[in-house]
Amino acid sequence: MKTRSLAGPVALAATVALTATACGGAGDPAASGGPQKVTVWIMKDSVTDAFLARFRTGFEAEHKDIDLDIQIQEWDGIGEKVTAALASKDAPDVIEVGNTQVAQYAASGGVRDLSDRTAELNGADWLPGLAEPGKVDGKQYGIPWYAANRVVIYHKDLFARAGVTAPPKTQAEWLAVTAKLNRGTTQGIYLPGQNWFTLSGFVWEAGGDLAVKDGAGWKGALDTPQALAGMDFYRRLQALGKGPKDADEAKPPQAEAFAKGDIAQIIAVPGGARIVEEINPALKGKLGFFPVPGRTAEKPGAVFTGGSDFIVPEASTHPEAAYEVVKALAGDTWQTDMARTMSYVPNRTSLARVIQDDEGTAAMAAGAAQGRATPNSPQWAAVEATNPIKQYMTAVLTGTDPARAAASASQSITKTLGS
């Protein structure tokens, strides 16, 4: 996601352009022994200006033959802009893209296959929610940069008042704890009926999927027993609060509801807690975090992972220099700096240790190890545009037979993915 779906969730990205001049061409400084300029696009708000300044200084100190010209790109209209750049002969050298967008760009052509670089980049340790959508038809086009995902944000005072001394570790415990919290004027949880990113995690945790490969194409899969089990868990959890059955977390904003102080839990990215505290400063210091529970206590539940990958256009004038930029940003030093600066999850599971002192980010990193992304179809964005999953969820929560509603949603997804 974009995630920015986390921001579905949380808007998570920024584009830095490192402008590349044709090596050896007329007027090119490299032709006279000067450094080559490399173009890198980073999306707006992905990282701070201070981080970019540190990176540029550090990178150029270690790569005397490369100059970085960093330009920020806006999300609005970026899809068309990237597609046009990939089809041109004047593409940037490195482009930050949403992790779920890689398949779309790879299908359009013009993206370099970086499969032979994965071992050097410790690809076996990449977060699956970033690595898997970056891999299309067995080829690694996207190199993971950072991730973010939802956790449970809870009101510590309401937990203590209900006698709950520790966050739940399993889905069964979560239901029991939430039922215990759902008393009097307190809502056990605020879970809007159309929070489909959260549903996705429940579906994956139950062994299902939103859509699956079907020969050379794709088909919707919400009507499988496993996916239906995920929806049933969502239904049971959602009933332990007063969240609207026909809306998502944005309308009305769930942070505003949580800030009133009578809701025990919401599911959101950790940064959502800051928004809640800004609305109601009395809650500062009273909010805690835990990973979305799984079926067993051994590991957290599956979650939707949003974040960014890097791609290198085929038309890059300096592909090796472009790779050096990607390698640096995806490496230990700058992953650690970025994670601590932005409270993101690093691209590798072994680097989760660098943010363990931040309760919210640590909970997010624990969940990210079980992260997934939406189906890796170039047409998935078209599914989200009409989003039959939201309609399906509301139908089930308002009494429609789940199997019939799931079959209808699956047919709609199949039709869209085949177009």
Side-chain angles (χ1 to χ4, degrees), residues 17-63:
L18 314 172
T19 303
T21 304
C23 182
D28 182 359
S32 58
Q36 52 189 317
K37 290 187 178 179
V38 176
T39 304
V40 181
W41 284 359
I42 305 289
M43 295 307 304
K44 184 178 181 180
D45 298 333
S46 282
V47 288
T48 63
D49 291 344
F51 171 85
L52 292 176
R54 288 194 299 274
F55 173 70
R56 175 188 233 160
T57 299
F59 182 86
E60 291 182 348
E62 294 182 1
H63 301 80

Side-chain angles (χ1 to χ4, degrees), residues 22-255:
C23 182
D28 182 359
S32 58
Q36 52 189 317
K37 290 187 178 179
V38 176
T39 304
V40 181
W41 284 359
I42 305 289
M43 295 307 304
K44 184 178 181 180
D45 298 333
S46 282
V47 288
T48 63
D49 291 344
F51 171 85
L52 292 176
R54 288 194 299 274
F55 173 70
R56 175 188 233 160
T57 299
F59 182 86
E60 291 182 348
E62 294 182 1
H63 301 80
K64 302 295 187 182
D65 60 334
I66 299 175
D67 276 348
L68 302 183
D69 173 21
I70 298 178
Q71 305 170 357
I72 304 300
Q73 301 293 320
E74 297 283 347
W75 276 110
D76 188 27
I78 192 62
E80 294 82 357
K81 188 171 184 178
V82 170
T83 300
L86 294 175
S88 75
K89 295 181 180 179
D90 187 29
D93 298 288
V94 178
I95 304 175
E96 177 201 351
V97 300
N99 60 324
T100 61
Q101 297 172 333
V102 177
Q104 171 188 344
Y105 296 136
S108 72
V111 181
R112 186 172 293 270
D113 176 11
L114 299 173
S115 301
D116 61 341
R117 307 288 194 168
T118 58
E120 183 180 16
L121 296 173
N122 298 295
D125 192 33
W126 282 338
L127 295 176
L130 294 180
E132 290 171 2
K135 191 172 188 176
V136 182
D137 295 331
K139 297 180 179 180
Q140 194 74 43
Y141 294 101
I143 302 301
W145 190 21
Y146 67 80
N149 50 267
R150 290 169 174 78
V151 300
V152 183
I153 304 175
Y154 72 100
H155 192 314
K156 294 178 180 179
D157 286 358
L158 296 182
F159 268 55
R161 193 179 304 164
V164 180
T165 58
K169 296 285 189 180
T170 68
Q171 288 186 337
E173 290 175 1
W174 195 14
L175 286 174
V177 163
T178 304
K180 190 174 183 180
L181 291 160
N182 194 42
R183 293 287 187 273
T185 60
T186 298
Q187 294 184 57
I189 191 169
Y190 181 90
L191 182 57
Q194 295 185 349
N195 190 333
W196 73 277
F197 289 107
T198 294
L199 171 65
S200 299
F202 296 168
V203 167
W204 293 325
E205 182 67 12
D209 212 331
L210 308 180
V212 295
K213 287 282 284 184
D214 182 30
W218 290 81
K219 67 177 181 179
L222 289 171
D223 53 346
T224 66
Q226 295 86 354
L228 285 166
M231 181 65 228
D232 186 62
F233 180 76
Y234 192 102
R235 178 189 61 78
R236 295 164 67 192
L237 186 64
Q238 200 272 339
L240 298 173
K242 300 176 183 177
K245 294 177 171 58
D246 59 352
D248 61 20
E249 64 268 41
K251 297 179 180 179
Q254 67 175 1

Side-chain angles (χ1 to χ4, degrees), residues 290-363:
F290 60 88
V292 171
R295 288 177 294 173
T296 68
E298 281 67 40
K299 59 184 181 181
V303 290
F304 169 77
T305 299
S308 285
D309 283 13
F310 287 117
I311 60 173
V312 176
E314 288 281 12
S316 167
T317 311
H318 308 292
E320 287 305 314
Y323 171 69
E324 289 301 318
V325 174
V326 172
K327 179 181 176 182
L329 285 167
D332 288 16
T333 298
W334 296 107
Q335 281 289 300
T336 299
D337 188 318
M338 179 187 61
R340 290 173 174 167
T341 298
M342 304 301 301
S343 296
Y344 290 154
V345 179
N347 63 3
R348 304 208 315 268
T349 57
S350 61
L351 290 176
R353 67 183 186 280
V354 306
I355 37 83
Q356 287 305 306
D357 292 339
D358 184 302
E359 182 186 1
T361 310

